Amino acid sequence: MPVFAEIYERIKLATSSRTQVELAEVLDIRQSSISDAKRRNSVPGDWYMKLFEKYGLNPDWLKQGVGPMYLRTEQGYMPQDAPASLAESAAHYGDALAKNSVCTEYDMHCAYSDKKPRPELTPAGKISLPLSLSREGLLVLRMRGANMSPLILPGAHLGVDTLDNNVVSGQIYALFAPNEGLMLRRVFLNGEQDGYLLRSESPDFPEISLTPDLLVKRLLGKVVWILQEL
Protein backbone atom coordinates (compact mmCIF):
# COMPACT_ATOMS: atom_id res chain seq x y z
CA MET A 1 0.00 0.00 0.00
CA PRO A 2 1.41 3.47 -0.87
CA VAL A 3 2.74 5.55 2.02
CA PHE A 4 -0.02 8.17 1.80
CA ALA A 5 -2.77 5.54 1.82
CA GLU A 6 -1.46 3.92 5.04
CA ILE A 7 -1.19 7.22 6.91
CA TYR A 8 -4.50 8.45 5.51
CA GLU A 9 -6.30 5.37 6.83
CA ARG A 10 -4.76 5.81 10.29
CA ILE A 11 -5.78 9.48 10.36
CA LYS A 12 -9.37 8.58 9.41
CA LEU A 13 -9.45 5.83 12.03
CA ALA A 14 -8.17 8.13 14.80
CA THR A 15 -10.46 11.05 13.92
CA SER A 16 -13.53 8.97 12.97
CA SER A 17 -13.57 10.75 9.60
CA ARG A 18 -15.33 8.76 6.91
CA THR A 19 -14.89 11.08 3.93
CA GLN A 20 -12.45 13.65 2.57
CA VAL A 21 -14.98 16.36 3.40
CA GLU A 22 -15.07 15.35 7.08
CA LEU A 23 -11.29 15.07 7.25
CA ALA A 24 -10.86 18.49 5.62
CA GLU A 25 -13.03 19.96 8.40
CA VAL A 26 -10.89 18.24 11.05
CA LEU A 27 -7.66 19.59 9.52
CA ASP A 28 -9.21 22.97 8.67
CA ILE A 29 -8.08 22.73 5.03
CA ARG A 30 -9.73 22.56 1.62
CA GLN A 31 -10.82 19.16 0.34
CA SER A 32 -8.65 19.76 -2.74
CA SER A 33 -5.60 19.83 -0.46
CA ILE A 34 -6.27 16.19 0.47
CA SER A 35 -6.57 15.24 -3.21
CA ASP A 36 -3.26 17.02 -3.91
CA ALA A 37 -1.52 15.16 -1.08
CA LYS A 38 -2.89 11.86 -2.37
CA ARG A 39 -1.62 12.62 -5.88
CA ARG A 40 1.86 13.45 -4.53
CA ASN A 41 1.74 10.38 -2.23
CA SER A 42 2.97 12.60 0.60
CA VAL A 43 1.37 13.83 3.83
CA PRO A 44 2.11 17.54 4.60
CA GLY A 45 4.03 18.07 7.83
CA ASP A 46 1.51 20.55 9.23
CA TRP A 47 -1.13 17.80 9.30
CA TYR A 48 0.83 16.03 12.05
CA MET A 49 1.07 19.20 14.11
CA LYS A 50 -2.66 19.90 13.78
CA LEU A 51 -3.55 16.32 14.74
CA PHE A 52 -1.23 16.45 17.74
CA GLU A 53 -2.59 19.80 18.92
CA LYS A 54 -6.23 18.80 18.42
CA TYR A 55 -6.17 15.12 19.43
CA GLY A 56 -2.76 14.50 21.03
CA LEU A 57 -1.98 11.98 18.27
CA ASN A 58 1.54 10.58 18.07
CA PRO A 59 3.22 11.52 14.72
CA ASP A 60 5.27 8.29 14.80
CA TRP A 61 2.10 6.23 15.09
CA LEU A 62 0.52 8.14 12.22
CA LYS A 63 3.57 7.72 10.00
CA GLN A 64 4.53 4.12 10.75
CA GLY A 65 1.93 2.59 13.07
CA VAL A 66 4.63 2.42 15.76
CA GLY A 67 4.38 3.57 19.38
CA PRO A 68 1.36 4.72 21.39
CA MET A 69 -1.51 6.19 19.41
CA TYR A 70 -1.65 9.23 21.72
CA LEU A 71 1.16 11.27 23.26
CA ARG A 72 -1.09 13.65 25.17
CA THR A 73 -4.21 12.89 27.17
CA GLU A 74 -6.32 14.86 29.63
CA GLN A 75 -3.93 13.63 32.35
CA GLY A 76 -0.84 14.98 30.55
CA TYR A 77 1.79 13.52 28.27
CA MET A 78 1.93 9.75 27.91
CA PRO A 79 3.74 7.50 28.32
CA GLN A 80 6.86 9.55 29.15
CA ASP A 81 5.24 11.58 31.94
CA ALA A 82 3.08 8.75 33.24
CA PRO A 83 3.62 7.19 36.67
CA ALA A 84 6.19 4.40 36.50
CA SER A 85 3.52 1.79 37.21
CA LEU A 86 1.60 2.87 34.12
CA ALA A 87 4.51 3.60 31.77
CA GLU A 88 5.04 1.26 28.81
CA SER A 89 8.42 0.18 27.52
CA ALA A 90 9.27 1.73 24.16
CA ALA A 91 10.94 -1.55 23.23
CA HIS A 92 7.52 -3.16 22.92
CA TYR A 93 6.65 -0.84 20.07
CA GLY A 94 9.72 -1.85 18.09
CA ASP A 95 8.51 -5.44 17.99
CA ALA A 96 7.11 -6.21 14.53
CA LEU A 97 4.16 -8.07 16.07
CA ALA A 98 3.24 -4.96 18.11
CA LYS A 99 2.65 -2.95 14.94
CA ASN A 100 -0.75 -2.71 13.30
CA SER A 101 -2.25 -2.24 9.87
CA VAL A 102 -5.59 -0.96 8.63
CA CYS A 103 -7.53 -3.60 6.68
CA THR A 104 -10.73 -3.54 4.68
CA GLU A 105 -13.59 -5.51 6.20
CA TYR A 106 -16.18 -7.13 3.91
CA ASP A 107 -19.89 -7.88 4.15
CA MET A 108 -20.82 -11.57 3.90
CA HIS A 109 -23.89 -10.90 1.77
CA CYS A 110 -23.45 -11.42 -1.99
CA ALA A 111 -25.30 -12.98 -4.92
CA TYR A 112 -23.67 -16.39 -5.32
CA SER A 113 -24.47 -19.12 -7.86
CA ASP A 114 -22.65 -22.41 -8.45
CA LYS A 115 -22.98 -21.78 -12.19
CA LYS A 116 -21.25 -18.39 -12.14
CA PRO A 117 -17.83 -17.08 -11.09
CA ARG A 118 -17.48 -16.04 -7.46
CA PRO A 119 -18.89 -12.54 -6.89
CA GLU A 120 -16.95 -9.54 -5.63
CA LEU A 121 -17.50 -8.84 -1.93
CA THR A 122 -18.74 -5.44 -0.75
CA PRO A 123 -16.53 -3.47 1.68
CA ALA A 124 -18.26 -2.94 5.04
CA GLY A 125 -15.67 -0.72 6.70
CA LYS A 126 -12.11 -0.61 8.01
CA ILE A 127 -10.49 -2.28 10.99
CA SER A 128 -7.06 -1.76 12.58
CA LEU A 129 -5.39 -5.12 13.24
CA PRO A 130 -2.16 -6.04 15.03
CA LEU A 131 0.26 -7.70 12.60
CA SER A 132 0.12 -10.82 14.78
CA LEU A 133 -3.40 -11.40 13.41
CA SER A 134 -2.42 -10.71 9.79
CA ARG A 135 -1.14 -13.26 7.32
CA GLU A 136 -0.94 -13.85 3.60
CA GLY A 137 -4.36 -14.67 2.19
CA LEU A 138 -6.29 -13.21 5.15
CA LEU A 139 -9.78 -11.86 4.44
CA VAL A 140 -11.66 -9.97 7.17
CA LEU A 141 -15.44 -10.42 7.30
CA ARG A 142 -18.22 -8.98 9.44
CA MET A 143 -20.51 -11.71 10.77
CA ARG A 144 -24.01 -11.74 9.33
CA GLY A 145 -26.77 -13.78 10.93
CA ALA A 146 -27.05 -15.72 14.18
CA ASN A 147 -26.52 -19.31 13.06
CA MET A 148 -23.19 -19.57 14.92
CA SER A 149 -24.51 -18.08 18.17
CA PRO A 150 -23.61 -18.16 21.00
CA LEU A 151 -20.02 -18.85 19.87
CA ILE A 152 -19.94 -16.17 17.16
CA LEU A 153 -22.35 -13.27 17.51
CA PRO A 154 -23.83 -11.08 14.76
CA GLY A 155 -21.48 -8.21 13.97
CA ALA A 156 -18.33 -10.08 15.03
CA HIS A 157 -15.11 -9.51 13.07
CA LEU A 158 -13.78 -12.69 11.45
CA GLY A 159 -10.35 -13.53 10.07
CA VAL A 160 -10.56 -16.09 7.24
CA ASP A 161 -7.41 -17.74 5.88
CA THR A 162 -8.29 -18.16 2.19
CA LEU A 163 -5.14 -20.25 1.65
CA ASP A 164 -6.21 -22.88 4.21
CA ASN A 165 -8.55 -25.15 2.26
CA ASN A 166 -7.50 -28.49 3.75
CA VAL A 167 -10.65 -29.41 5.63
CA VAL A 168 -10.26 -30.75 9.17
CA SER A 169 -13.47 -32.18 10.64
CA GLY A 170 -15.00 -29.98 13.33
CA GLN A 171 -13.27 -26.75 12.29
CA ILE A 172 -15.19 -23.64 11.21
CA TYR A 173 -15.03 -22.56 7.58
CA ALA A 174 -16.48 -19.76 5.43
CA LEU A 175 -18.37 -21.05 2.42
CA PHE A 176 -20.50 -19.57 -0.35
CA ALA A 177 -24.18 -20.49 -0.46
CA PRO A 178 -26.74 -19.82 -3.21
CA ASN A 179 -29.15 -16.94 -2.45
CA GLU A 180 -27.29 -16.15 0.79
CA GLY A 181 -23.65 -15.33 0.08
CA LEU A 182 -20.97 -16.30 2.57
CA MET A 183 -21.91 -18.39 5.60
CA LEU A 184 -20.01 -20.01 8.47
CA ARG A 185 -20.35 -23.71 9.29
CA ARG A 186 -18.49 -26.46 11.10
CA VAL A 187 -17.54 -29.03 8.47
CA PHE A 188 -17.54 -32.79 9.13
CA LEU A 189 -16.83 -35.85 6.98
CA ASN A 190 -20.02 -37.93 6.85
CA GLY A 191 -20.32 -41.49 8.15
CA GLU A 192 -19.98 -43.02 4.69
CA GLN A 193 -16.88 -40.87 4.05
CA ASP A 194 -18.17 -39.87 0.63
CA GLY A 195 -19.37 -36.36 1.45
CA TYR A 196 -19.49 -33.61 4.04
CA LEU A 197 -21.94 -32.31 6.63
CA LEU A 198 -22.19 -28.59 7.44
CA ARG A 199 -23.50 -27.71 10.90
CA SER A 200 -24.35 -24.47 12.70
CA GLU A 201 -23.76 -23.86 16.39
CA SER A 202 -27.43 -23.00 16.82
CA PRO A 203 -29.86 -25.97 16.68
CA ASP A 204 -32.38 -23.75 14.90
CA PHE A 205 -30.52 -24.15 11.59
CA PRO A 206 -30.66 -27.37 9.54
CA GLU A 207 -27.66 -29.54 8.68
CA ILE A 208 -26.44 -29.27 5.08
CA SER A 209 -24.92 -32.08 2.99
CA LEU A 210 -22.36 -31.38 0.25
CA THR A 211 -20.49 -33.57 -2.19
CA PRO A 212 -16.66 -33.23 -2.14
CA ASP A 213 -16.67 -31.42 -5.51
CA LEU A 214 -19.30 -28.92 -4.38
CA LEU A 215 -17.48 -28.31 -1.10
CA VAL A 216 -14.27 -27.45 -2.97
CA LYS A 217 -16.19 -25.08 -5.25
CA ARG A 218 -17.90 -23.24 -2.39
CA LEU A 219 -15.12 -23.21 0.21
CA LEU A 220 -13.51 -19.80 0.84
CA GLY A 221 -11.21 -20.66 3.75
CA LYS A 222 -10.83 -21.47 7.43
CA VAL A 223 -11.86 -19.08 10.22
CA VAL A 224 -8.65 -18.46 12.19
CA TRP A 225 -9.72 -15.75 14.66
CA ILE A 226 -12.79 -13.91 15.97
CA LEU A 227 -13.06 -10.42 17.50
CA GLN A 228 -16.34 -9.54 19.21
CA GLU A 229 -17.94 -7.92 22.22
CA LEU A 230 -19.36 -10.23 24.87
Side-chain angles (χ1 to χ4, degrees), residues 158-222:
L158 313 167
V160 178
D161 187 345
T162 61
L163 301 181
D164 189 346
N165 293 307
N166 296 317
V167 174
V168 177
S169 285
Q171 298 297 309
I172 300 175
Y173 294 86
L175 308 99
F176 287 94
N179 305 317
E180 183 171 344
L182 283 169
M183 63 180 185
L184 299 189
R185 292 292 190 277
R186 288 195 186 274
V187 179
F188 298 88
L189 186 67
N190 66 15
E192 292 74 25
Q193 299 188 6
D194 59 0
Y196 292 89
L197 301 175
L198 279 55
R199 297 172 183 165
S200 297
E201 290 292 298
S202 170
D204 296 333
F205 293 80
E207 187 176 80
I208 300 172
S209 298
L210 287 183
T211 62
D213 289 345
L214 200 51
L215 178 70
V216 170
K217 183 176 181 61
R218 294 185 180 182
L219 187 63
L220 176 64
K222 180 182 175 183

Side-chain angles (χ1 to χ4, degrees), residues 32-33 41 53 56 75 77 118 135 154 185 190-191 203 211 213:
S32 60
S33 298
N41 195 29
E53 292 177 343
Q75 288 73 38
Y77 288 89
R118 288 184 174 182
R135 63 179 70 184
R185 292 292 190 277
N190 66 15
T211 62
D213 289 345

Side-chain angles (χ1 to χ4, degrees), residues 76-95:
Y77 288 89
M78 297 283 287
Q80 291 85 353
D81 292 340
S85 61
L86 298 180
E88 298 179 77
S89 170
H92 294 163
Y93 297 110
D95 188 337

Side-chain angles (χ1 to χ4, degrees), residues 87-124:
E88 298 179 77
S89 170
H92 294 163
Y93 297 110
D95 188 337
L97 295 181
K99 298 180 181 179
N100 62 6
S101 62
V102 178
C103 302
T104 301
E105 188 176 42
Y106 294 92
D107 189 356
M108 296 176 67
H109 177 68
C110 60
Y112 175 81
S113 171
D114 289 328
K115 298 179 180 179
K116 297 180 180 180
R118 288 184 174 182
E120 294 289 333
L121 298 178
T122 302

Side-chain angles (χ1 to χ4, degrees), residues 105 141-145 152-158 227-229:
E105 188 176 42
L141 303 175
R142 183 174 297 172
M143 182 61 183
R144 179 173 177 265
I152 305 175
L153 303 176
H157 309 284
L158 313 167
L227 298 177
Q228 65 183 358
E229 292 186 18

